[in-house]
Amino acid sequence: EREASDVADCHAGIMPLPDNEVSRGKGAMKALQYMATGRPVVLSPVGVNAQIIQDGENGFLARSADDWVDALLALAKDAQLRARLGLNGRKTVEQGFAAEISAAKFAEVVERVTA
């Protein structure tokens, strides 16, 4: 019920995942939710996360504990960095994951397999 407002209240979104078969099959829904609200994200480079995030452009990919600390400290210290990553993340969602785009991609796949 409060998920959207809770996400919007966060300063940054994090998605730590172990690199295993189960995690590699997960979607990036939580990351995309954060990005849609303009929040910067720090994600494990597991599965689709590594395809969505261009490290340092629309979020951070953290491979090690030091990477996590460095990324979160950088975000905590730099409002402009938070704003830039948040804006770029929002653009990523708008350009690749908005409902209209997802519906068109789905329709294309359905047409291809039913033709």
Side-chain angles (χ1 to χ4, degrees), residues 103-115:
K105 288 178 181 177
F106 179 75
E108 182 181 316
V109 170
V110 171
E111 287 176 13
R112 216 176 318 137
V113 298
T114 59

Side-chain angles (χ1 to χ4, degrees), residues 33-100:
Q33 287 175 314
Y34 286 120
M35 293 165 71
T37 65
R39 301 303 178 267
V41 295
V42 182
L43 314 176
S44 296
V46 176
V48 72
N49 289 355
Q51 296 170 7
I52 294 171
I53 298 299
Q54 289 100 42
D55 195 34
E57 295 298 318
N58 63 348
F60 285 125
L61 294 172
R63 291 168 179 78
S64 67
D66 286 342
D67 288 348
W68 279 95
V69 171
D70 291 346
L72 293 171
L73 284 175
L75 291 173
K77 293 177 181 178
D78 191 338
Q80 289 181 336
L81 177 63
R82 290 192 306 273
R84 180 176 61 82
L85 293 180
L87 178 63
N88 289 343
R90 170 75 186 192
K91 287 179 185 176
T92 298
V93 172
E94 290 172 350
Q95 294 170 356
F97 299 93
E100 300 83 18

